[in-house]
Amino acid sequence: ELNISILIALAAMGVIFLLIFMVVALFNFGVAVTRFISGDETAISRYFNKSRQIKGNQALSKALISFHEGDSTEALIQSSRAKNLLKHNTLSLLINAQIAKQAGNSRLVLENYKKLLAVKDTKLLALSGIVSEKVKAGDYGSALILAKKSVHLNPKNINNINTVFNLQIQEKDWIGARASLKAKKKYEKGPNSKFLRQEAILMFAEAKEKRAQGFTKEALGIALTAVRQYPSFVAALSFRFLSFGTAKDL
């Protein structure tokens, strides 16, 4: 009877251990399934990721071939497909943006560049692309704000400085344009006379605007400064004589 009791006890313990093992196994399986569903890296997910990457790269190749052949529509379809397959990586966004630009799809161009703004390595490129689209749309005010950000991020980039300078002229921001001209002089090679003449032209433009607004005395002062700075600037000299009176008045 004692032996039978021992056997029964051992059997019961075995059943308990088996139940514990099954519970643990089921728990681990449940955790694995949960991790898989939540995106945890597994052999299966790695397989699907690799497959997506291969298909994405193939779509990119087709997009570039179509683009080279002049088929912008097919290039745009393939590059958009590649972008989705490659989970909007930098290269796919850049290629899609360039093809969209060629196809005249400004909305898609801006959509891609806005995503690239979040990537440190492509932030300046994205800003430049957005500025270009804003200028194309005639939104010079927004373009100027963004161009200034580009200069702030990379103050020595002469292309960015030139963009700001040209937009300031477009917006008739003469004081801002003169400040940009100083930056141009610092980083761009050229004779000093060139920059003096450009600054005199800006001062002359500001003087004309002041005169149109009724600030005659202030306009005269700006024009006089322009002539002193660049005496051979005939336009400013003519402006003095024709707009403010005779030589005696000056």
Side-chain angles (χ1 to χ4, degrees):
E1 291 182 3
L2 181 61
N3 290 335
I4 293 173
S5 298
I6 292 172
L7 287 173
I8 293 172
L10 289 172
M13 290 177 64
V15 170
I16 292 170
F17 280 122
L18 181 61
L19 287 171
I20 292 172
F21 175 79
M22 290 177 66
V23 169
V24 172
L26 286 171
F27 175 77
N28 288 334
F29 178 73
V31 170
V33 170
T34 302
R35 286 181 176 177
F36 175 74
I37 293 172
S38 65
D40 192 25
E41 193 71 19
T42 64
I44 295 175
S45 64
R46 284 196 298 271
Y47 170 80
F48 283 116
N49 285 338
K50 187 175 181 181
S51 177
R52 284 172 64 91
Q53 187 173 6
I54 291 171
K55 290 178 181 178
N57 288 332
Q58 288 174 343
L60 269 186
S61 297
K62 289 178 181 178
L64 290 171
I65 291 170
S66 297
F67 184 69
H68 180 71
E69 292 175 346
D71 189 350
S72 296
T73 302
E74 181 62 20
L76 196 57
I77 291 170
Q78 292 297 335
S79 63
S80 295
R81 180 169 179 264
K83 187 173 67 172
N84 292 328
L85 285 167
L86 296 172
K87 298 181 179 179
H88 296 76
N89 71 7
T90 301
L91 183 61
S92 66
L93 288 169
L94 281 171
I95 291 176
N96 191 237
Q98 290 302 308
I99 293 174
K101 185 175 182 178
Q102 185 70 21
N105 191 334
S106 183
R107 180 195 60 78
L108 186 56
V109 174
L110 290 172
E111 179 184 301
N112 285 310
Y113 279 132
K114 284 176 182 178
K115 288 176 182 175
L116 289 168
L117 279 175
V119 183
K120 184 180 178 181
D121 292 339
T122 56
K123 191 177 182 72
L124 281 170
L125 177 64
L127 277 171
S128 178
I130 295 172
V131 167
S132 179
E133 289 302 305
K134 293 294 184 182
V135 169
K136 190 187 296 183
D139 187 358
Y140 301 113
S142 297
L144 179 55
I145 291 170
L146 293 169
K148 284 180 179 179
K149 287 184 180 180
S150 294
V151 172
H152 178 73
L153 290 171
N154 190 359
K156 295 182 180 180
N157 188 304
I158 193 62
N159 290 327
N160 293 338
I161 295 170
N162 278 327
T163 299
V164 170
F165 178 67
N166 291 329
L167 285 168
Q168 285 169 328
I169 292 173
Q170 181 69 39
E171 290 292 277
K172 298 182 179 179
D173 177 9
W174 311 120
I175 295 174
R178 286 169 64 189
S180 295
L181 187 62
K182 288 181 180 179
K184 277 167 60 71
K185 184 179 179 182
K186 185 176 181 181
Y187 298 113
E188 186 179 73
K189 292 181 180 179
N192 190 52
S193 58
K194 169 190 170 183
F195 296 106
L196 287 174
R197 184 175 183 279
Q198 286 180 328
E199 186 172 10
I201 291 171
L202 291 173
M203 294 173 76
F204 176 54
E206 185 183 358
K208 284 181 67 178
E209 188 174 277
K210 292 292 184 184
R211 186 190 65 169
Q213 294 170 349
F215 302 111
T216 307
K217 187 175 180 180
E218 188 176 346
L220 176 59
I222 296 170
L224 285 169
T225 304
V227 174
R228 290 193 197 101
Q229 182 164 305
Y230 200 84
S232 61
F233 185 41
V234 180
L237 188 60
S238 300
F239 177 71
R240 285 175 58 199
F241 281 90
L242 295 175
S243 300
F244 297 109
T246 64
K248 184 179 179 181
D249 296 324
L250 296 172

